[in-house]
Amino acid sequence: MIDIENAKKELVKHVNELPIHNPRIQMKLGHIIRVAENCKKLAIHLKLTQEQIQLAELIGLLHDI
């Protein structure tokens, strides 16, 4: 089982620890979270399994890496 909430928490933690002081970084983080939420909504709409829904959301979180 994928722990999406922990993945989001770790991503936010990692981004906030970056030694880059650029306000666009927070904008990018918001984009990543929105993409993950849209991936989850799409997976639900497609009636995928719970594991597939979680995987889709995780892929959304990681899509810009």
Side-chain angles (χ1 to χ4, degrees):
M1 179 167 242
I2 299 169
D3 187 348
I4 293 296
E5 292 308 312
N6 188 52
K8 285 181 189 176
K9 184 179 90 177
E10 289 298 319
L11 176 65
V12 170
K13 178 182 164 189
H14 172 72
V15 168
N16 287 331
E17 290 175 350
L18 291 173
I20 301 169
H21 302 289
N22 182 338
R24 293 186 69 182
I25 298 294
Q26 290 303 315
M27 185 174 71
K28 187 66 170 175
L29 183 57
H31 159 76
I32 291 169
I33 299 297
R34 286 189 303 278
V35 168
E37 290 170 358
N38 286 333
C39 289
K40 179 180 179 179
K41 288 177 185 177
L42 181 58
I44 291 169
H45 178 76
L46 292 171
K47 299 180 182 351
L48 300 181
T49 66
Q50 187 61 35
E51 185 177 5
Q52 291 170 324
I53 292 168
Q54 291 173 338
L55 181 59
E57 190 173 5
L58 181 61
I59 290 168
L61 280 176
L62 302 176
H63 83 278
D64 276 337
I65 295 177

